């Protein structure tokens, strides 16, 4: 229930750590599948995109041997925080995926000829990242400054 969820978020703001957007997204998936185990498995698979996007960021930024970059990007799997966040459906991995997408498309903006689609994808993924975790709002100010300067 949207109204009950929003009322619970406002009244118990100290005990809830996620944003309302994260709860609405998880509630939508739960309503569609009606199986929390399926959602957890899907979230674990989605969290596995994080090392791959990190690999793409490093490959875009530095032009070195891709075998070493790929092995280096797999270090993320050793983090206990990454694994527990994936298993317990915390919003950290989801926000990190969107933040890494922001960085990836920002690097594409800097390296390639200016494509307006890269600006849009970069900005939309940063907005989604900020909706899920408020900690990344400071990057929103930075990227807005850079975009206004470039455009």
């Amino acid at each position: 229930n949207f109204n009950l969820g929003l009322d619970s978020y406002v009244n118990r703001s100290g005990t809830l750590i996620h944003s309302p957007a994260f709860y609405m997204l998880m509630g939508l998936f739960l309503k569609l599948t009606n199986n929390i185990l399926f959602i957890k498995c899907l979230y674990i698979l989605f969290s596995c995109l994080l090392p791959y996007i990190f690999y793409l960021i490093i490959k875009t930024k530095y032009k070195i041997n891709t075998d070493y970059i790929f092995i280096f990007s797999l270090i993320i799997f050793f983090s206990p925080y990454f694994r527990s966040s994936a298993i317990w459906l915390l919003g950290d991995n989801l926000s990190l995926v969107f933040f890494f997408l922001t960085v990836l498309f920002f690097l594409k903006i800097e390296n390639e000829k200016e494509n307006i689609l890269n600006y849009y994808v970069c900005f939309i993924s940063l907005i989604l990242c900020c909706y899920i975790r408020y900690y990344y709002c400071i990057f929103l100010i930075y990227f807005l400054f850079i975009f206004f300067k470039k455009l």
Side-chain angles (χ1 to χ4, degrees):
N1 187 343
F2 178 74
N3 292 332
L4 182 63
L6 192 59
D7 184 49
S8 175
Y9 183 79
V10 170
N11 291 335
R12 298 183 318 163
S13 62
T15 60
L16 299 174
I17 60 171
H18 301 296
S19 69
F22 181 77
Y23 287 119
M24 285 188 270
L25 185 65
M26 289 302 132
L28 175 71
F29 282 130
L30 187 61
K31 191 174 188 179
L32 290 174
T33 62
N34 203 19
N35 187 354
I36 193 70
L37 183 63
F38 177 74
I39 294 172
K40 284 185 177 187
C41 291
L42 190 67
Y43 190 74
I44 290 171
L45 290 175
F46 187 74
S47 294
C48 289
L49 287 175
L50 196 61
Y52 179 69
I53 297 171
F54 186 61
Y55 163 73
L56 292 176
I57 289 171
I58 296 174
K59 186 175 134 183
T60 305
K61 181 72 176 168
Y62 305 106
K63 307 294 185 207
I64 57 176
N65 190 352
T66 57
D67 295 335
Y68 297 128
I69 295 171
F70 183 71
I71 292 170
F72 180 71
S73 68
L74 294 178
I75 291 175
I76 294 174
F77 284 124
F78 290 125
S79 169
Y81 187 75
F82 169 78
R83 292 188 312 243
S84 65
S85 178
I87 291 171
W88 293 106
L89 283 174
L90 299 179
D92 299 337
N93 287 352
L94 187 61
S95 63
L96 276 175
V97 166
F98 287 124
F99 183 70
F100 279 13
L101 284 174
T102 301
V103 172
L104 178 65
F105 281 97
F106 181 73
L107 289 174
K108 285 184 178 184
I109 289 169
E110 287 187 340
N111 291 341
E112 297 174 3
K113 197 169 100 175
E114 291 190 21
N115 184 1
I116 197 71
L117 183 65
N118 287 340
Y119 283 98
Y120 283 125
V121 173
C122 180
F123 199 64
I124 288 171
S125 61
L126 183 61
I127 288 172
L128 290 173
C129 173
C130 291
Y131 274 137
I132 294 168
R133 277 291 203 212
Y134 299 128
Y135 308 136
Y136 296 102
C137 288
I138 192 74
F139 292 107
L140 185 67
I141 296 167
Y142 171 74
F143 281 109
L144 276 175
F145 176 73
I146 296 296
F147 288 163
F148 281 130
K149 193 171 140 181
K150 285 186 94 137
L151 294 176

